[in-house]
Amino acid sequence: MSSALEIVAVPAFADNYLWLVHDEDSGETAVIDPGDPAPVLAEADRRGWRITTILNTHWHGDHTGGNLAIKQVTGATIIGPAGENGRVPGLDKAIGEGDRIRIGSHEAEVWEVPGHTVGHIAYIFSDDAVAFVGDTMFAMGCGRLFEGSAEQMHVSLHRLAELPPETRLYCAHEYTLANAHFAAHAFPESKEISDRLRHIEQERAANRPTVPTTVAAERATNPFLLARTVEQFADLRRAKDDYRSA
Ligand SMILES: [Zn+2]
């Protein structure tokens, strides 16, 4: 029986979560999307973990800005999306759909989930029921369409939603409260959404993180999964871009 993955949130900037992932048996530690090197290195140090791998989901600076500094200190290998090669600082290993990476004996399959960016990937640790989804799916939300189409994002979200319901989704931002307000505005008749909004309000008032979420929770309350067609999804995404909660 191998040790479970230990997953620790490192808050950074205004609302990013950088994820440290440690396997006790092998001593390997990965960091997912280290936008800022200092808090990641400090937290790893505090725990006595040496970072061996940097995993990027997409090229945006708040996900890759710490790549080079962390590599310089730890010698970690930088792994990221082949579709964004040239835009990910220091990329050592470009990966894409169906590739596999390991942290100790824990294996992840790489999925291409375009929409937020065209080359965006997610890391799916099926045996651990864990997925690192970057800026594709958020708790009760999804990433903005900076590069990809509504259709691409719609497909990507539904693909993630087909994971087993207990799967924990590690998103890269604490956007849940704003997302929950928009969800309640878009689906005022949903009791699941209004209940979750109340719960999220309590969690955030107590300054507790609302990530990870689960596939089950998102299937029930993510407005972008409740959209029945690509057109409805695209309308919702536009409405969210313009939405400011009262
Ligand atoms: Zn991004």
Side-chain angles (χ1 to χ4, degrees):
M1 189 68 193
S2 62
S3 57
L5 283 178
E6 277 180 75
I7 304 174
V8 173
V10 180
F13 310 119
D15 50 37
N16 283 69
Y17 290 130
L18 323 180
W19 298 104
L20 273 172
V21 185
H22 178 71
D23 171 57
E24 191 63 39
D25 288 344
S26 63
E28 290 182 16
T29 303
V31 59
I32 319 287
D33 285 346
D36 189 359
V40 170
L41 290 168
E43 184 63 30
D45 230 34
R46 199 174 70 75
R47 292 170 179 273
W49 295 352
R50 190 176 71 82
I51 297 170
T52 45
T53 310
I54 295 168
L55 300 174
N56 295 130
T57 62
H58 65 296
W59 67 271
H60 286 164
D62 61 322
H63 297 252
T64 59
N67 278 12
L68 297 178
I70 293 171
K71 181 176 179 166
Q72 192 171 32
V73 172
T74 63
T77 303
I78 302 173
I79 299 175
E84 299 181 354
N85 204 349
R87 294 199 282 182
V88 175
L91 190 62
D92 293 307
K93 192 173 170 206
I95 53 171
E97 182 68 35
D99 284 338
R100 289 169 185 278
I101 61 101
R102 283 172 168 275
I103 304 170
S105 61
H106 301 266
E107 190 176 67
E109 188 177 322
V110 176
W111 287 8
E112 291 177 0
V113 286
H116 178 67
T117 61
V118 288
H120 199 301
I121 56 175
Y123 297 91
I124 316 294
F125 289 84
S126 292
D127 292 347
D128 299 274
V130 160
F132 294 94
V133 298
D135 286 356
T136 299
M137 184 150 357
F138 295 125
M140 304 185 85
C142 74
R144 280 177 186 259
L145 302 177
F146 284 120
E147 297 174 9
S149 67
E151 180 154 24
Q152 283 177 319
M153 184 58 111
H154 187 71
V155 169
S156 295
L157 292 176
H158 280 277
R159 192 173 174 201
L160 291 170
E162 292 300 311
L163 286 165
E166 69 278 12
T167 308
R168 283 171 293 154
L169 301 173
Y170 288 82
C171 341
H173 291 274
E174 178 65 64
Y175 287 159
T176 317
L177 185 56
N179 288 344
H181 280 293
F182 174 75
H185 163 79
F187 292 91
E189 73 290 355
S190 166
K191 185 175 181 320
E192 282 112 321
I193 287 176
S194 55
D195 286 352
R196 194 173 179 195
L197 168 58
R198 260 196 307 281
H199 176 69
I200 296 295
E201 283 174 335
Q202 288 164 7
E203 293 300 289
R204 294 308 296 150
N207 207 24
R208 281 191 290 265
T210 63
V211 182
T213 179
T214 64
V215 167
E218 296 315 305
R219 281 188 201 164
T221 62
N222 191 313
F224 298 104
L225 288 172
L226 297 175
R228 289 204 178 80
T229 62
V230 178
E231 291 69 33
Q232 205 181 355
F233 168 80
D235 287 346
L236 266 180
R237 186 56 264 181
R238 269 192 298 275
K240 174 69 170 67
D241 288 345
D242 299 333
Y243 183 72
R244 296 287 175 275
S245 58

